[in-house]
Amino acid sequence: MSYLTQMAGLAYHNFISAAVGVALAIAVIRGIVRREKSTIGNFWVDMTRATLWVLLPACIVGALFLVSQGVVQNFKPYTTVQLVDPQTVQTTGSDGK
């Protein structure tokens, strides 16, 4: 995967999957507490609130911590490492070649 795919695509899915889990946990708790009521709330509102008020602030605090410790993100291409002592393997097939 490219760096753009990792930063944009996977980050979006990571946030949404965590927000869905928080919203479902809230729905289960509301379902247990509100036995006499007919509704347990709005899933989309819970998911948006979990994203904006829980996950994004936690992400910002975590990112600031990583930056304060000197962790960097670079866009250098992947590094290809040369072997110090390359190994060769000789194989023979059933025909002797």
Side-chain angles (χ1 to χ4, degrees):
M1 282 189 249
S2 70
Y3 290 127
L4 179 64
T5 304
Q6 291 178 21
M7 287 189 311
L10 295 177
Y12 169 77
H13 288 287
N14 289 340
F15 270 92
I16 295 303
S17 66
V20 166
V22 171
L24 289 176
I26 291 171
V28 167
I29 292 169
R30 284 183 185 155
I32 293 171
V33 172
R34 299 181 181 185
R35 290 186 182 176
E36 289 82 28
K37 300 213 177 185
S38 61
T39 63
I40 57 171
N42 189 338
F43 171 79
W44 297 107
V45 170
D46 293 338
M47 192 173 84
T48 303
R49 287 179 181 161
T51 302
L52 294 177
W53 297 105
V54 177
L55 298 175
L56 279 177
C59 181
I60 291 169
V61 168
L64 290 175
F65 172 74
L66 290 175
V67 168
S68 73
Q69 298 302 307
V71 178
V72 296
Q73 167 126 17
N74 61 37
F75 295 106
K76 293 180 183 177
Y78 298 113
T79 304
T80 304
V81 178
Q82 300 295 327
L83 295 176
V84 174
D85 186 21
Q87 301 290 318
T88 58
V89 177
Q90 295 180 352
T91 59
T92 57
S94 60
D95 58 355
K97 294 183 181 179

